Amino acid sequence: MTQFSGQAAIITGASGLLASGVIPIFQAGGANLALTCGDDRLYERMPELRDDPNHLCLQGVDLSDPVAVATLVSRVKARFGRIGILVNIVGGWDAGAPVHEMTVDTWQTMLRLNATITFLMCRAVIPAMLEAGGGKIVNIGARPALRSSGHDGAYAASKAAVLRLTESISEEYKRRGIRCNAVLPSAIVPAEQLADDPDAGVTPRQVGRVVGFLCSEAGAIINGALLPAYGTRF
């Protein structure tokens, strides 16, 4: 299957658990992979990437820095040419405190990790996609973005911002060849944990298939979707 051949796919948060299920979808589809990661766990999770010439590891880039993000996109264009796909996985979770006990640092950190970085990546990649005649963006939301259950105000607000950003992009560029959707996973757990408890959540590979579908020709009519991927538990 080579449905992504000739396209560079930028995947942020590549050393995390979710990315371990997303990256193989695009690797099998023939995409050139541009992978951002904050540490060296990428090759621990996916040692097969070491021998893959069609990938670029972008380690240690501060994705909250607009200049660094612009430089990253320029590097990817110089290496692979057309940027056809962006999957915004990088993010963070911090919950537990009620609003009156929440620190300003927690609030700002959640907004930076989940909303600001997603915005900066989209903003930097869209001009390259317009130049190429189109592209696909998939952002990662979360169920609390639709309705908080309490004690997760900063996280829920930051993920809600991702959903509104997704909708805005989908409307602004729908006639210019860019599709933007969001996937809203529940708890993401390793496959062996789901085998022991089918209600535990969803696996990285299950979410990866959804992301791949949204970027494929089969998903070409889907734009602006906020797609639940909760599994059976929720």
Side-chain angles (χ1 to χ4, degrees), residues 1-11 19-35 42-43 45-56 85 87 205 208 212:
M1 181 174 62
T2 57
Q3 61 180 325
F4 304 123
S5 291
Q7 302 181 57
I10 300 178
I11 302 173
S20 69
V22 173
I23 292 171
I25 301 297
F26 293 99
Q27 186 180 31
N32 296 313
L33 302 172
L35 309 174
L42 174 62
Y43 296 123
R45 290 191 187 276
M46 303 188 63
E48 66 275 12
L49 278 174
R50 291 186 184 275
D51 299 320
D52 186 343
N54 298 317
H55 90 285
L56 175 64
I85 296 165
V87 184
R205 181 55 67 94

Side-chain angles (χ1 to χ4, degrees), residues 10 12 62-73 86 88 90 111-127 137 139 162 165 169:
I10 300 178
T12 68
D62 181 0
L63 298 182
S64 65
D65 179 352
V67 175
V69 170
T71 300
L72 180 155
V73 172
L86 169 64
N88 281 307
V90 71
L111 289 176
R112 177 177 61 84
L113 287 176
N114 295 320
T116 300
I117 288 176
T118 297
F119 159 70
L120 290 175
M121 287 300 305
C122 290
R123 187 181 70 158
V125 164
I126 285 171
I137 298 172
N139 297 322
V162 170
L165 177 66
I169 292 172

Side-chain angles (χ1 to χ4, degrees), residues 2 14 24 29 40 50 60 69-70 73 79-81 95 120 131 138 174-175 189 193 196-198 200 212 216 223 232:
T2 57
D40 58 4
R50 291 186 184 275
V69 170
V73 172
R79 171 72 180 271
F80 295 127
L120 290 175
E131 181 183 316
V138 178
K174 64 185 179 182
R175 292 181 176 85
V189 299
Q193 182 176 341
D196 293 335
D197 179 7
S216 71
N223 183 43
T232 59

Side-chain angles (χ1 to χ4, degrees), residues 9-231:
I10 300 178
I11 302 173
T12 68
S15 59
L17 179 61
L18 176 54
S20 69
V22 173
I23 292 171
I25 301 297
F26 293 99
Q27 186 180 31
N32 296 313
L33 302 172
L35 309 174
T36 79
C37 48
D39 53 43
D40 58 4
R41 288 181 297 166
L42 174 62
Y43 296 123
E44 293 178 11
R45 290 191 187 276
M46 303 188 63
E48 66 275 12
L49 278 174
R50 291 186 184 275
D51 299 320
D52 186 343
N54 298 317
H55 90 285
L56 175 64
C57 181
L58 299 156
Q59 186 171 341
V61 178
D62 181 0
L63 298 182
S64 65
D65 179 352
V67 175
V69 170
T71 300
L72 180 155
V73 172
S74 295
R75 286 183 62 188
V76 176
K77 283 185 64 179
R79 171 72 180 271
F80 295 127
R82 177 190 174 195
I83 299 175
I85 296 165
L86 169 64
V87 184
N88 281 307
I89 295 177
V90 71
W93 179 83
D94 192 335
V99 168
H100 79 284
E101 295 178 0
M102 186 185 301
T103 66
V104 173
D105 181 65
T106 295
W107 177 264
Q108 293 177 336
T109 297
M110 287 295 93
L111 289 176
R112 177 177 61 84
L113 287 176
N114 295 320
T116 300
I117 288 176
T118 297
F119 159 70
L120 290 175
M121 287 300 305
C122 290
R123 187 181 70 158
V125 164
I126 285 171
M129 289 183 171
L130 291 174
E131 181 183 316
K136 286 83 67 176
I137 298 172
V138 178
N139 297 322
I140 301 299
R143 194 183 192 202
L146 298 176
R147 183 176 179 83
S148 170
S149 58
H151 298 269
D152 61 356
Y155 177 74
S158 66
K159 285 298 189 178
V162 170
L163 302 193
R164 302 293 81 81
L165 177 66
T166 298
E167 291 169 334
S168 293
I169 292 172
S170 70
E171 286 294 319
E172 291 169 10
Y173 301 97
K174 64 185 179 182
R175 292 181 176 85
R176 304 185 70 182
I178 296 176
R179 295 189 290 109
C180 185
N181 296 288
V183 179
L184 286 64
S186 60
I188 299 170
V189 299
E192 56 270 22
Q193 182 176 341
L194 195 65
D196 293 335
D197 179 7
D199 295 332
V202 292
T203 68
R205 181 55 67 94
Q206 288 174 326
V207 179
R209 292 191 187 105
V210 176
V211 172
F213 168 74
L214 291 172
C215 294
S216 71
E217 285 302 313
I221 62 171
I222 301 176
N223 183 43
L226 310 176
L227 193 62
Y230 301 157

